[in-house]
Amino acid sequence: MKLGKTLKLIICTLLIFNFQHSIFNPTHAQGLLGGHVTGNVQLDGQMSRADSVIGAEEVPERLLLNARADVLYTNGDFSAGLRLEMYQNPLLGFDSQWKGQGVANYFVKYSGERLTVTAGHFYEQFGSGMILRTYEDRYLGIDNALFGASVQYRPVDGVTLKALAGKQRHFWDYGPGLVRGVDAEVSLNSVVKPLSGSKLRATLGAGFVSKYEDDENIPVPGTENRLNLPLNVGAASLRADLGFGGWSLQTEYARKGQDPNAINGYIYRPGNALMLNLGYSTRGFSAGIQAKRIDNMGYKSMRSLSGEMLYINYLPAITKNHTYAFLAMYPYATQVNGEQGVQADVMYKFKKGTLLGGKYGTDLHLNSSLVTALDTTVIGGLGTDGYTAGTFSKGDFLYGDLSLEVAKKLSKTVKLTATYAYQVFNPVVEGHAPDLYHNHIVVADLSWKVSKKHALRFEAEWMGSDSRYDPEHGHDDRRAGDWVMGLVEWNIGTHWFLSLSDQYAYRDGTGNYYNLSCGYTRGATRFQLGYGKQREGLLCIGGVCRQVPASNGLTFSLTTSF
Amino acid sequence: MKKTISLLAAALLTLAACDSIETEEYTVYDGAPVSWSAAPAAPEAVQRAYVEKYTGPKCTNCPRADETLDAAHHQYGDRLVVVSINHPSGQGIPYPNEPDMRTDGGTAWDKYFGITFLPSAHLNRTELYSGDISAMIPIIGESIQNAPSAAIGVQATKEGSAVSITADIQLLQASAATLTLTAAIIEDSLVYKQDHYLEGRIDDYVHNHMLRKVITSHWGRDLPGGQTLLRGTLSFTPDADINLDNSHIVVFLSEKATRRVINCASCKIQ
């Protein structure tokens, strides 16, 4: 802790010294010690009042604020940075443990030609992240940065060795587990001379991560026993990234040692995960197929913690990250205890002047994904191996979707994107009863560049679903039912925009969610003000989700960078 | 080259850091369970001080701590309860062919509180004194003047090869904290080698208050909520090498979250 305070003091001194001077020399943002300072500021505010129809609750504070400022000082090979954060009080849906303010992240870094050393807070990823990925997502309210030291060394071109150790950030404190890791990545085209000019591109990698956590007393119910916990939990992975012409293949296999924890119900079964990504692309066409199997791979630096905090690893999502409102209404959250799935994605561009391409060409995008649970046989609970699982046999259906998107420029100023999607969603992934929802969704998105300074965008969405909102019989999901939505967005000149939208559950559902927002952008600064209703649901990014409660009121945000 | 070797060394060390537990060892005995009932009468409402002393046979200054605590015992009588814990490593390692006083429970406490220096003494698990622990003595005196937030009394009887323990508890102040009851057996008059700050190694040093076993789970058993006057009963079979005639039962109440000991009691085994 003493070392942390000293480090923070050095960074603050450097930044203040340089930042003060850069204010008076804004042209170059040049500090007294040389180098330069850059940064960004973001402020998000929310006011919400009670609304029994949508389930919004009164906010006693009236005004909720999340704010942050990142400042980075760079001088040649040396850089240092810090981030101030404030949650007074946290926006709705953010864990109340975020409440507070202070310097949440600080580091010093040396980046030489062969060697990179970081002390303080840092983010790192080994391969696809299945054994280690620390990251920050301000919208999900996740920051699992490691606080410690990291070394990256490139002894020869094409070879990267990494070693790190530290503890993960947990709100305003650190998790109890000590995380250590090593990783090596070799580009065979750089190291093996005969491959240097080859069409075959090959990169191989391997990583190992170990977590140490003190013992704790976890009693076995109904006995006089407690769990004999492994204090060091290791996870290893092997990966390959191959390419030949337009073809590419990325694959990674990971294994995790015995790791009884709150997520898996304190079972001793080792974990494993396999990810495969095969793709082909050429001009106007690309296709990819992705397959993934996860078995007991939740890996945290605090074994007794559930929820989304303190994950050491990241298990990539295998479903498309949809952006349209109804397509994203039932997002799929990765099931770290076990799932398997495939995703196929095809994009094709009909050329200009062809029957389907017309005058400007037509883009076609087809995507489908299917995720099921593992086929497991339970052999015990806490303090046992938990279950056995068939290698590729299917368990319960969890999620499936098929979407077809057609984008066509109708004239020089008008572009239409039309989407149809069919989704089948099992709410068991959100902890509800396994009662499948079948949804048909249609979206029409029309952009019209009215003039050089004005543009309009119209969006219409419809969703038909067999789900019902019926709280008296236990169906309390406010997303249920059939919905329609309309949106108009007007970009006025280069600085202003105005947007009006409404989502309405017209059958078997509840709620009318209107929103009005406007914004002003000038240079790197953007201010946005909105008023309306927010539907409760899940916000998911890359398979990692945050519960968003309903709200009714004003929101505003300010972002700027320097 | 040096950097590559260093990174490879880091890799090897990390690779070694993975524990594997055999199926039959997934669970381990966690001490005697406690049965709860209503206590027939309230125990004496007196505040006692609880001291965990960390010691080792190769710690030359540990006899100084023994002398200090013996003097404190003389001064405070049964208002002071001392438990001597043999440090698990370094100066705590026994001499060859000498009794090993290290215990699983003591090691768990030692590691949790991060004991790195011998002798150390922990008063009520809130204030840690290392080296010269004499500064703790007046603090003990002050602490036992406080009004107790909970009263506790204990009785222990031999029943064949087993020992039956009854702890009566009265919660005197309302608190939201979860409390736990921990019971341990300590033994006096154990004779084995001990390094001494004046006399070098003493072959027949007399060790008192030595922790022989934490009878409950290492961190105790939770008190049931909603009751202010309750009795906890438990029984255990002591190891054959424990002389029950020289032994005491120590019980203490602590806050589950902070481990702070709020009161304690000890008794001879009848």
Side-chain angles (χ1 to χ4, degrees):
Chain A
M1 209 59 200
K2 216 171 184 179
L3 181 69
K5 279 183 181 168
T6 312
L7 195 59
K8 210 187 287 185
L9 189 68
I10 293 169
I11 296 166
C12 285
T13 310
L14 274 170
L15 290 171
I16 290 165
F17 222 63
N18 281 271
F19 186 62
Q20 280 181 337
H21 196 254
S22 66
I23 285 171
F24 299 107
N25 299 276
T27 318
H28 301 293
Q30 188 84 26
L32 285 174
L33 301 174
H36 59 275
V37 175
T38 55
N40 60 73
V41 176
Q42 179 169 346
L43 175 74
D44 294 297
Q46 182 176 36
M47 298 171 84
S48 181
R49 57 196 169 87
D51 186 328
S52 59
V53 176
I54 64 170
E57 291 180 4
E58 191 70 39
V59 175
E61 306 94 321
R62 304 285 177 210
L63 175 65
L64 303 171
L65 276 177
N66 285 10
R68 53 185 285 149
D70 289 276
V71 186
L72 177 69
Y73 167 71
T74 312
N75 189 345
D77 294 338
F78 173 80
S79 61
L82 61 79
R83 183 166 69 237
L84 288 153
E85 291 180 14
M86 184 192 79
Y87 304 87
Q88 290 292 19
N89 285 342
L91 298 187
L92 290 172
F94 282 76
D95 197 303
S96 60
Q97 291 179 77
W98 281 114
K99 185 179 174 179
Q101 70 274 313
V103 178
N105 183 301
Y106 50 93
F107 69 91
V108 289
K109 187 175 186 177
Y110 167 79
S111 304
E113 191 186 342
R114 295 278 177 205
L115 183 70
T116 303
V117 181
T118 309
H121 295 86
F122 60 91
Y123 299 99
E124 184 56 89
Q125 177 167 339
F126 291 170
S128 62
M130 292 203 297
I131 60 167
L132 180 116
R133 183 194 183 209
T134 57
Y135 69 108
E136 183 250 343
D137 191 306
R138 68 192 71 176
Y139 300 106
L140 288 176
I142 288 176
D143 184 358
N144 61 2
L146 277 164
F147 179 66
S150 133
V151 180
Q152 199 177 106
Y153 182 53
R154 294 165 292 278
V156 292
D157 289 344
V159 176
T160 305
L161 307 173
K162 295 176 186 175
L164 58 84
K167 288 193 165 193
Q168 287 184 289
R169 181 185 178 191
H170 188 225
F171 301 106
W172 293 99
D173 202 348
Y174 298 103
L178 175 64
V179 180
R180 293 78 47 99
V182 288
D183 187 78
E185 191 166 278
V186 180
S187 165
L188 295 183
N189 299 78
S190 302
V191 175
V192 182
K193 274 193 178 173
L195 285 176
S196 60
S198 169
K199 273 188 173 179
L200 175 71
R201 305 175 303 278
T203 302
L204 303 178
F208 184 85
V209 177
S210 171
K211 172 204 72 165
Y212 171 79
E213 194 179 347
D214 282 339
D215 200 7
E216 62 186 298
N217 194 329
I218 297 165
V220 181
T223 74
E224 294 168 12
N225 289 4
R226 66 182 168 87
L227 296 185
N228 182 17
L229 297 165
L231 307 186
N232 293 284
V233 177
S237 78
L238 291 170
R239 60 185 187 269
D241 187 348
L242 307 172
F244 189 84
W247 290 92
S248 66
L249 173 70
Q250 287 105 34
T251 183
E252 181 164 358
Y253 177 70
R255 271 191 79 82
K256 182 179 66 123
Q258 294 166 326
D259 182 21
N261 58 51
I263 312 167
N264 66 15
Y266 291 100
I267 62 169
Y268 283 71
R269 177 183 171 82
N272 67 78
L274 175 67
M275 202 247 331
L276 196 73
N277 195 351
L278 176 68
Y280 175 77
S281 86
T282 185
R283 190 183 168 87
F285 174 77
S286 72
I289 186 158
Q290 197 180 11
K292 184 179 78 167
R293 185 182 187 280
I294 294 169
D295 184 351
N296 189 24
M297 275 302 283
Y299 189 29
K300 288 193 174 207
S301 60
M302 184 174 179
R303 67 170 77 84
S304 60
L305 188 71
S306 52
E308 292 298 337
M309 303 304 283
L310 286 179
Y311 268 109
I312 298 169
N313 66 339
Y314 167 75
L315 300 160
I318 204 169
T319 56
K320 189 180 175 185
N321 212 14
H322 293 290
T323 51
Y324 288 115
F326 291 167
L327 284 162
M329 193 186 270
Y330 293 98
Y332 182 70
T334 300
Q335 303 299 294
V336 297
N337 280 340
E339 65 172 27
Q340 56 193 354
V342 289
Q343 179 184 208
D345 194 83
V346 179
M347 281 194 274
Y348 185 75
K349 186 177 184 70
F350 291 99
K351 287 180 186 167
K352 292 176 188 174
T354 60
L355 182 66
L356 291 170
K359 192 176 176 183
Y360 300 98
T362 302
D363 293 318
L364 193 95
H365 188 179
L366 183 67
N367 180 279
S368 182
S369 56
L370 175 71
V371 187
T372 72
L374 303 182
D375 180 19
T376 58
T377 305
V378 174
I379 56 174
L382 179 147
T384 71
D385 281 323
Y387 58 88
T388 57
T391 308
F392 290 111
S393 49
K394 279 190 303 181
D396 292 340
F397 179 92
L398 297 179
Y399 181 88
D401 74 355
L402 171 73
S403 65
L404 174 66
E405 183 181 292
V406 181
K408 176 142 189 70
K409 203 171 171 182
L410 302 176
S411 71
K412 275 187 177 176
T413 55
V414 179
K415 185 184 175 186
L416 175 69
T417 303
T419 305
Y420 165 76
Y422 175 62
Q423 280 181 340
V424 185
F425 179 80
N426 190 341
V428 77
V429 299
E430 294 177 8
H432 303 299
D435 190 8
L436 293 184
Y437 299 168
H438 301 80
N439 307 326
H440 294 272
I441 300 153
V442 178
V443 180
D445 180 347
L446 186 90
S447 301
W448 177 26
K449 193 170 182 186
V450 182
S451 68
K452 275 188 177 176
K453 289 193 170 180
H454 293 265
L456 284 167
R457 192 170 81 84
F458 303 93
E459 191 182 303
E461 297 190 32
W462 170 82
M463 180 165 76
S465 175
D466 59 359
S467 58
R468 285 167 188 274
Y469 177 70
D470 185 4
E472 284 179 12
H473 296 93
H475 301 285
D476 58 353
D477 190 339
R478 284 192 165 84
R479 298 171 300 181
D482 297 342
W483 292 75
V484 287
M485 174 191 161
L487 176 145
V488 183
E489 203 174 272
W490 181 19
N491 284 295
I492 311 157
T494 51
H495 299 307
W496 290 92
F497 85 90
L498 186 66
S499 167
L500 177 65
S501 71
D502 189 29
Q503 294 177 17
Y504 176 58
Y506 68 92
R507 193 170 62 194
D508 295 336
T510 184
N512 182 20
Y513 299 87
Y514 55 82
N515 269 285
L516 173 68
S517 68
C518 62
Y520 178 78
T521 307
R522 190 174 192 96
T525 303
R526 178 185 166 96
F527 178 74
Q528 187 171 334
L529 184 68
Y531 181 80
K533 297 184 180 186
Q534 165 72 48
R535 180 175 23 83
E536 74 175 11
L538 280 186
L539 170 68
C540 294
I541 299 173
V544 181
C545 302
R546 170 171 75 87
Q547 184 73 37
V548 180
S551 62
N552 176 12
L554 194 74
T555 57
F556 59 91
S557 74
L558 171 72
T559 55
T560 189
S561 57
F562 52 87
Chain B
M1 193 60 186
K2 271 184 188 171
K3 288 166 189 162
T4 310
I5 291 168
S6 303
L7 280 168
L8 285 173
L12 286 172
L13 284 173
T14 310
L15 285 166
C18 183
D19 299 339
S20 178
I21 296 170
E22 298 298 322
T23 308
E24 59 274 14
E25 293 172 354
Y26 286 173
T27 65
V28 290
Y29 180 65
D30 190 35
V34 179
S35 301
W36 297 101
S37 58
E44 186 187 5
V46 60
Q47 181 66 53
R48 299 185 186 89
Y50 174 77
V51 172
E52 283 172 352
K53 183 195 69 179
Y54 292 90
T55 186
K58 295 172 185 170
C59 159
T60 52
N61 283 312
C62 287
R64 277 189 204 272
D66 292 344
E67 289 161 16
T68 305
L69 286 170
D70 283 348
H73 239 304
H74 191 69
Q75 188 176 351
Y76 301 121
D78 70 353
R79 303 283 294 273
L80 172 63
V81 173
V82 177
V83 176
S84 288
I85 297 148
N86 199 115
H87 188 61
S89 56
Q91 296 171 329
I93 297 170
Y95 281 105
N97 305 317
E98 291 286 284
D100 187 349
M101 289 295 132
R102 292 176 292 184
T103 60
D104 290 344
T107 299
W109 297 348
D110 187 295
K111 284 190 172 178
Y112 180 83
F113 293 113
I115 305 300
T116 54
F117 192 90
L118 297 183
S120 285
H122 212 183
L123 173 59
N124 294 329
R125 291 183 170 174
T126 53
E127 293 171 66
L128 184 67
Y129 298 83
S130 295
D132 180 4
I133 63 165
S134 56
M136 184 174 66
I137 306 309
I139 309 298
I140 292 173
E142 289 170 20
S143 73
I144 61 176
Q145 298 305 318
N146 296 331
S149 58
I152 184 167
V154 63
Q155 287 183 316
T157 52
K158 274 187 257 183
E159 290 179 359
S161 60
V163 173
S164 179
I165 301 165
T166 304
D168 288 339
I169 298 160
Q170 185 179 24
L171 305 181
L172 300 166
Q173 291 172 16
S175 167
T178 300
L179 297 179
T180 61
L181 173 73
T182 307
I185 181 167
I186 61 169
E187 189 173 353
D188 294 332
S189 308
L190 286 159
V191 178
Y192 57 91
K193 285 177 184 166
Q194 174 67 48
D195 287 356
H196 193 277
Y197 60 102
L198 285 178
E199 300 173 42
R201 187 180 307 162
I202 300 175
D203 288 343
D204 54 356
Y205 187 85
V206 178
H207 297 257
N208 291 319
H209 317 295
M210 292 306 301
L211 174 69
R212 299 306 310 277
K213 189 182 184 70
V214 180
I215 300 162
T216 54
S217 168
H218 298 162
W219 298 105
R221 298 288 186 197
D222 291 3
L223 267 63
Q227 296 178 54
T228 54
L229 186 59
L230 62 167
R231 166 172 284 184
T233 54
L234 64 157
S235 70
F236 81 109
T237 304
D239 295 341
D241 64 338
I242 299 176
N243 182 346
L244 296 184
D245 293 336
N246 293 338
S247 297
H248 287 74
I249 297 297
V250 168
V251 292
F252 59 88
L253 289 170
S254 57
E255 290 176 350
K256 187 173 187 175
T258 63
R259 316 286 198 208
R260 183 175 76 93
V261 174
I262 60 169
N263 212 341
C264 59
S266 74
C267 70
K268 289 287 285 179
I269 300 168
Q270 303 297 322

